[in-house]
Amino acid sequence: MNFAPLPSVDAAAVPSDGFVLDVRENDEWAAGHVEGALHIPMSDFVGRFGELTAAAEDGRRVHVMCRVGGRSAQVTQYLVQQGIDAVNIDGGMQAWDGAGRPMVTDNGTPAFVL
């Protein structure tokens, strides 16, 4: 079998207006996330796939995020197989935080990576 390398991008290189898909679980999302990101936990992903295709129907690149990059790599692989322009964010939220990128919470408390 021929496995193409997984498309990935450094957290610091994600455009500020880039479309981010966060596949972490609800407690991780609540602790801190990228403002404007679409949150679909990996555990719910197949059942909620239509939410992503609707959000990405304009063909824009989907930047897939988890805590360190493992779950997002699996989801990125799936999306690429579906013909969606998707890239894995190397290092996930830990790299995002490490690069000093902004994070928010839904309740206004200080954001952190769980």
Side-chain angles (χ1 to χ4, degrees):
M1 293 184 112
N2 181 15
F3 289 103
L6 187 69
S8 62
V9 65
D10 190 78
V14 176
S16 59
D17 63 347
F19 176 37
V20 176
L21 168 66
D22 191 322
V23 298
R24 297 175 303 149
E25 294 305 313
N26 291 330
D27 58 337
E28 295 172 287
W29 169 267
H33 55 267
V34 177
E35 189 168 10
L38 175 63
H39 179 225
I40 304 177
M42 186 171 160
S43 56
D44 297 341
F45 192 73
V46 174
R48 293 177 59 190
F49 183 64
E51 290 175 47
L52 172 68
T53 55
E57 67 185 356
D58 55 7
R60 61 188 162 154
R61 171 164 284 174
V62 179
H63 300 84
V64 188
M65 168 86 78
C66 69
R67 184 167 164 269
V68 294
R71 287 170 286 178
S72 55
Q74 294 176 52
V75 172
T76 300
Q77 187 74 49
Y78 176 77
L79 293 176
V80 168
Q81 289 169 350
Q82 307 307 310
I84 293 171
D85 180 11
V87 294
N88 188 33
I89 298 176
D90 276 337
M93 282 299 292
Q94 289 187 333
W96 184 273
D97 189 30
R101 302 294 303 265
M103 297 186 299
V104 297
T105 58
D106 291 335
N107 62 8
T109 59
F112 66 97
V113 179
L114 183 64

